[in-house]
Amino acid sequence: MSSRNLDFTRRSLLKTAALVPLASGAVGQEADASNSLKSKAARRGITFGCGVSAPQIAKDQAFRAAVMADCAEIVPWAEMKWGFLEREEGSLDFSSADALVQFAHANSLKIRGHTLVWYNNLPPWVPQALAGPDGRRFYETHIRTVLSHFGTKVVNWDVVNEAIEPNDKLPGSYRNSPFLKRFGPDYIPHAFEIARSVLPHTPLYYNDYGIEYNFQGSKRDAVLELLSSLSKRGLVDGLGIQSHLKIGLWFDAKAFRSFLADVASLGLSILLTEFDVNDMRAPADIATRDREVADHAFRYLETTLDEKAVKGLVAWGLSDRYTWLDVPPFARRDGLPSRGQPLDAKLQRKPLWDAIARALDGAPVRPS
Ligand code: G3I
C-alpha cells in the first residue's frame, strides 16, 4: 500500500490498547455520542464497524479516536489471514492479530474474524503444500489452529471467502483455487464442519463480493445454491456481502431486495462486511463526487437495511486516510485520492457519512 501505510510494532499497539479513551468524538466534531454511526445502528439492532489494520491503530491517535467514536466493531484487514499468520511453514505469528483483539476488548469493541479460507493472500508455501500428500492435514490444521487460538474472543467468522467465480467457467461456478484443485468443492462444507466442531456457538459466515449489481446475477444464483446446501446441513449462519460499490454501475434495488429475501428465507443472517464506494468513474470536482458517492450508497443501504436479516454494516476503512481504493488498479486514473469512505482524510464527516446515518435512521428495528 501507499506510504500512508505505517510500520507496525506490536509493543506500540499493546501500549495504546489500554490508553484509548472509551468514547471520544471524531476530530473537530461534536462529541454527542448518540450522533454516531454506532449509536444510530444500535438503535435499529444493527452493529456498525470498520475494517482496520494494526499499524493504523498502533500509531494514529486521531484515527483511533474516530474509530472509537463511530464504531462498535473492528475487522482486521489482513492480520487474521493465513498469509499474515504463517508466512513460514510452522512458524505462527499471532502478534498483530492479538494486538487488535486486545485493543478491541480494552475498548469494548467487538472484533470479527476475517478470514480462514481465501484463495488470495496465502503464504507462498501453501499452494504447493496443499497439493502434496499432507495437503489435507495442512488445511485442517490451519482452520483448527486459528479458531482455537482466538476462541470466543472473536464474535463471528468469515470461514470461506470468495469461493464462487462464474468467470472461471467450472461446474457450480466454483472459483479455480488451490483448495478446489486439491479437494474439489467439498473443501467448503469441510471448512465449516471443522469450524463448527471447534467453536459450536460462534456464528459462521460465507463472504463474497460481486453480487450487488444485476449483471452479477449468475454469481448471485451460485452463492444462493451454495448457501442453501450448507444451511441444509446446519453448517452456515449467514452471508457476508462485501458491498464494494462502484459509481457508474446500475443498482437494481428491486432485484437485490428479492435476493436478500431469498437469503433470509434460508434462516440466515446477512452482514454488509466491506462497504465502500469506488469513485474512479465520478468527476474530479469534490462536491459533485461526494454527492454521487453519497447518493449511490444511500440507494444501496436504503434497500439492504430494509431487510431485517441484515444485522451488521462494516465500512472497509472508516476514512479516506487509509483505503485500499487508492491502490491500482482500483485507484482513480487522474491520481486524485478516492473519497469512498464516510470520513475524509482529515477525519471529517462527508456526505457519505450523512447518507449512512440517514439509511440507518430509516431502517426498521430488528427483533432482539
Ligand atoms: O501491516 C503491514 C505492515 O506492517 C507492512 O509494513 C506492510 C508492508 O507491505 O504491509 C502491511 O500489511 C498490508 C495489509 O494489507 C495491512 O494494510 C499487506 O501488505 C497488504 O497485502 C494487505 O492487503 C489487504 C488485502 O486484502 C490482502 O490481504 C488489504 O489491506 C485489504 O483491504 C484487502 O481486503 C480484501 C478483503 O480481505 C476481501 N475482499 C476484498 C478486499 C480488498 O482487496
Side-chain angles (χ1 to χ4, degrees):
M1 290 190 93
S2 68
S3 56
R4 294 176 191 166
N5 222 345
L6 305 166
D7 269 348
F8 164 67
T9 64
R10 178 168 186 256
R11 203 176 308 131
S12 59
L13 180 47
L14 288 178
K15 223 160 59 190
T16 51
L19 294 178
V20 177
L22 270 177
S24 49
V27 178
Q29 256 124 32
E30 70 260 51
D32 174 5
S34 68
N35 189 26
S36 63
L37 296 179
K38 68 177 173 188
S39 311
K40 287 172 180 294
R43 286 198 280 274
R44 297 293 180 264
I46 297 168
T47 303
F48 181 84
C50 73
V52 296
S53 88
Q56 301 157 11
I57 296 296
K59 298 226 172 162
D60 187 340
Q61 197 187 348
F63 179 73
R64 272 198 314 268
V67 171
M68 301 293 300
D70 261 327
C71 299
E73 177 176 76
I74 58 168
V75 186
W77 269 358
E79 286 79 355
M80 290 182 178
K81 292 170 182 168
W82 202 346
F84 221 93
L85 296 176
E86 196 180 3
R87 274 202 76 73
E88 311 286 333
E89 183 196 328
S91 104
L92 285 152
D93 180 1
F94 285 101
S95 57
S96 297
D98 283 348
L100 284 173
V101 170
Q102 187 170 340
F103 164 76
H105 285 195
N107 294 287
S108 306
L109 297 164
K110 294 178 188 167
I111 181 162
R112 295 196 71 227
H114 175 76
T115 173
L116 294 166
V117 179
W118 190 27
Y119 76 96
N120 202 344
N121 208 171
L122 288 171
W125 60 272
V126 162
Q128 209 182 337
L130 285 177
D134 289 332
R136 182 165 288 272
R137 182 173 59 80
F138 282 116
Y139 183 66
E140 294 175 347
T141 303
H142 165 65
I143 298 170
R144 275 205 187 92
T145 306
V146 176
L147 290 172
S148 309
H149 177 85
F150 294 109
T152 53
K153 290 178 190 157
V154 163
V155 289
N156 54 50
W157 271 98
D158 289 334
V159 177
V160 177
N161 192 39
E162 303 177 5
I164 299 290
E165 179 45 274
N167 292 331
D168 284 350
K169 309 240 178 293
L170 294 174
S173 294
Y174 292 111
R175 181 185 291 278
N176 188 12
S177 70
F179 307 108
L180 189 82
K181 277 188 195 125
R182 175 63 168 83
F183 309 118
D186 265 3
Y187 82 88
I188 304 173
H190 191 45
F192 281 91
E193 274 167 355
I194 300 170
R196 267 279 188 265
S197 72
V198 179
L199 295 174
H201 305 298
T202 297
L204 307 177
Y205 283 79
Y206 173 73
N207 193 51
D208 215 330
Y209 71 96
I211 46 180
E212 297 82 357
Y213 297 100
N214 257 7
F215 72 93
Q216 299 156 329
S218 67
K219 185 155 175 175
R220 270 182 207 167
D221 293 345
V223 166
L224 207 51
E225 209 171 308
L226 172 64
L227 290 174
S228 161
S229 89
L230 289 171
S231 93
K232 272 186 204 134
R233 296 169 60 182
L235 293 175
V236 71
D237 299 295
L239 170 66
I241 302 175
Q242 292 187 7
S243 311
H244 293 297
L245 307 183
K246 191 166 190 176
I247 301 286
L249 297 181
W250 168 246
F251 175 66
D252 181 338
K254 203 169 157 213
F256 198 58
R257 185 66 189 78
S258 118
F259 169 73
L260 297 173
D262 288 345
V263 176
S265 74
L266 296 172
L268 301 178
S269 292
I270 302 170
L271 302 174
L272 310 179
T273 50
E274 302 179 21
F275 171 84
D276 53 24
V277 185
N278 185 314
D279 67 2
M280 72 192 296
R281 291 197 203 141
D285 174 68
I286 285 185
T288 314
R289 191 147 44 116
D290 282 357
R291 199 180 55 243
E292 287 193 13
V293 166
D295 288 351
H296 194 91
F298 183 75
R299 244 175 89 66
Y300 178 79
L301 290 175
E302 182 187 40
T303 304
T304 48
L305 297 181
D306 182 56
E307 170 56 67
K308 288 186 184 170
V310 175
K311 305 274 177 53
L313 169 57
V314 173
W316 204 235
L318 185 62
S319 86
D320 297 327
R321 184 177 290 194
Y322 305 109
T323 170
W324 73 294
L325 294 173
D326 283 342
V327 180
F330 307 102
R332 289 178 63 87
R333 304 286 186 260
D334 58 14
L336 289 173
S338 71
R339 296 184 62 84
Q341 311 290 343
L343 305 179
D344 69 12
K346 292 185 176 150
L347 307 177
Q348 300 297 308
R349 291 174 183 175
K350 293 192 313 200
L352 177 55
W353 190 100
D354 297 324
I356 299 171
R358 227 164 11 105
L360 288 168
D361 285 343
V365 175
R366 275 63 180 147
S368 44

